[in-house]
Amino acid sequence: MTATAPLVPAWTADQAASFGKTPMTFAHRLAETGLFEDEALAALLDRYPAELYDINLFDIDAEGRLTLRTGQRGRLPGREVLAGVKEGRVWVQLRSAETYYSELGQAIRRAFADISGNVRGFRPVQLTGQLIISAPQAKVPFHADAPGVCLFHIRGRKRIWIYPNDEVHMPQRGMEDIMLKQITEDLPYRPEMDAAAQVFDLEPGMAVTWPLHAPHRIENQGTFNVSLSVDYQTWATRMTNGAHYTNGLLRRWKLPVAAMDATPAAAQAVLWAAHLPLKRMNLLQDRIARFERSFELAGAQR
């Protein structure tokens, strides 16, 4: 494809109106860049910085609950890491892909320029990419992300459940704790929650996005998968997240905290401004700074 061809084709009026307000899908052409073929991925895995290279193994119990073990590649070359992913229940995430896979970083910026052209007033101030390479039976547990997210699906088949951002599925206190780094983004899940979810089956060339903080979970559908998750921040999302940070501290100090959807923009701005000095004071210990790496990929295959 040419360097000027859009990676995200023009949207309908309904798609443009839905962006950021309700879960929605849209088409993309990232696979046409050639950045996600086996040879390119194996070479990338060989050179990727170890500190940005996450390998996760999901153990699934009889009731469908997931537990996560975090591991390391060891001395395996990239082609063997890729083979291990295809054969096991392994999920590899390469963080900061917009920086350390420079060609992909260019494609991310092009894709979001196309989205900005479709959505009036959408101007992200930060884009962070995670390249996700996952096994045929891999699952991502019920969780919520702090930034806005667009998930671009590249290879394989994937199903995603997206749940309402409400007190039943995403309690405000939970997001406050996520912002304060007291808990991970994983949330308590009950199968009956699925009744409220919107479900999308993703094929290559499809992307999905959802409202800020909407919880979701993902299951691969028996095929090797490659996806690109891009976190985006706008000034509005930064303000909301900063307000959650301050509210989390206020709650710990036994002070009143209003529901975020009932907090006017001006009050959110005050809470956001307050979070800046509070964050510098390091009032709470980061509880998720370190995860024990409990296996090497060579021992995680089925």
Side-chain angles (χ1 to χ4, degrees), residues 55-241:
I55 299 180
N56 303 303
L57 176 65
F58 292 104
D59 298 311
I60 308 164
D61 68 18
E63 297 182 3
R65 289 187 294 262
L66 306 181
T67 56
L68 169 68
R69 287 188 285 152
T70 301
Q72 56 191 2
R73 182 185 68 183
R75 298 180 180 274
L76 289 179
R79 59 183 173 78
E80 292 188 29
V81 174
L82 201 59
V85 174
K86 290 181 178 182
E87 295 171 6
R89 301 187 312 277
V90 179
W91 185 75
V92 173
Q93 176 175 261
L94 304 181
R95 291 179 282 117
S96 299
E98 79 290 347
T99 300
Y100 292 95
Y101 192 3
S102 59
E103 300 91 342
L104 182 54
Q106 295 172 13
I108 289 170
R109 289 186 288 274
R110 283 177 57 196
F112 273 80
D114 294 337
I115 294 173
S116 294
N118 283 311
V119 182
R120 180 177 299 177
F122 177 66
R123 296 293 181 269
V125 296
Q126 183 177 355
L127 299 170
T128 306
Q130 293 83 42
L131 183 57
I132 301 166
I133 307 169
S134 53
Q137 304 304 325
K139 301 183 181 185
V140 179
F142 183 72
H143 72 286
D145 302 292
V149 178
C150 287
L151 178 65
F152 298 86
H153 193 49
I154 314 292
R155 296 174 61 179
R157 295 189 303 277
K158 191 182 291 289
R159 180 171 295 164
I160 182 169
W161 289 255
I162 303 174
Y163 302 79
N165 178 11
D166 57 23
E167 280 297 305
V168 173
H169 302 89
M170 178 66 258
Q172 179 171 315
R173 183 165 188 164
M175 185 50 63
E176 293 166 5
D177 286 343
I178 289 171
M179 294 307 304
L180 290 168
K181 296 185 177 180
Q182 298 303 291
I183 61 172
T184 68
E185 294 173 337
D186 294 345
L187 300 167
Y189 167 72
R190 303 184 306 277
E192 58 266 27
M193 291 177 168
D194 288 355
Q198 293 189 48
V199 184
F200 299 93
D201 286 323
L202 301 181
E203 300 285 344
M206 292 179 65
V208 62
T209 188
W210 49 84
L212 185 68
H213 300 161
H216 48 281
R217 66 183 184 90
I218 301 171
E219 294 184 1
N220 288 358
Q221 300 297 291
T223 60
F224 169 70
N225 274 240
V226 179
S227 300
L228 172 68
S229 177
V230 182
D231 297 345
Y232 65 84
Q233 292 278 20
T234 65
W235 286 114
T237 65
R238 283 183 170 178
M239 185 186 306
T240 298
N241 286 335

Side-chain angles (χ1 to χ4, degrees), residues 29-43:
R29 301 173 64 192
L30 283 167
E32 298 177 34
T33 63
L35 299 175
F36 307 96
E37 301 302 319
D38 279 3
E39 184 176 349
L41 293 177

Side-chain angles (χ1 to χ4, degrees), residues 282-295:
N282 292 319
L283 297 170
L284 288 176
Q285 182 180 4
D286 182 347
R287 293 188 176 181
I288 63 171
R290 293 183 180 273
F291 283 100
E292 179 184 358
R293 297 186 182 272
S294 59
F295 68 91

Side-chain angles (χ1 to χ4, degrees), residues 6-68:
L7 290 175
V8 177
W11 287 359
T12 66
D14 285 345
Q15 285 176 304
S18 296
F19 181 73
K21 298 181 177 66
T22 63
M24 59 166 282
T25 61
F26 59 92
H28 70 84
R29 301 173 64 192
L30 283 167
E32 298 177 34
T33 63
L35 299 175
F36 307 96
E37 301 302 319
D38 279 3
E39 184 176 349
L41 293 177
L44 180 66
L45 291 166
D46 275 333
R47 68 176 187 267
Y48 216 76
E51 67 274 13
L52 299 173
Y53 195 130
D54 298 331
I55 299 180
N56 303 303
L57 176 65
F58 292 104
D59 298 311
I60 308 164
D61 68 18
E63 297 182 3
R65 289 187 294 262
L66 306 181
T67 56
L68 169 68

Side-chain angles (χ1 to χ4, degrees), residues 179 233-247 250 260 263-280:
M179 294 307 304
Q233 292 278 20
T234 65
W235 286 114
T237 65
R238 283 183 170 178
M239 185 186 306
T240 298
N241 286 335
H244 277 305
Y245 186 100
T246 300
N247 276 343
L250 294 176
M260 189 59 67
T263 303
Q268 286 192 32
V270 171
L271 291 167
W272 170 82
H275 108 282
L276 297 172
L278 290 170
K279 194 170 185 178
R280 287 194 293 268

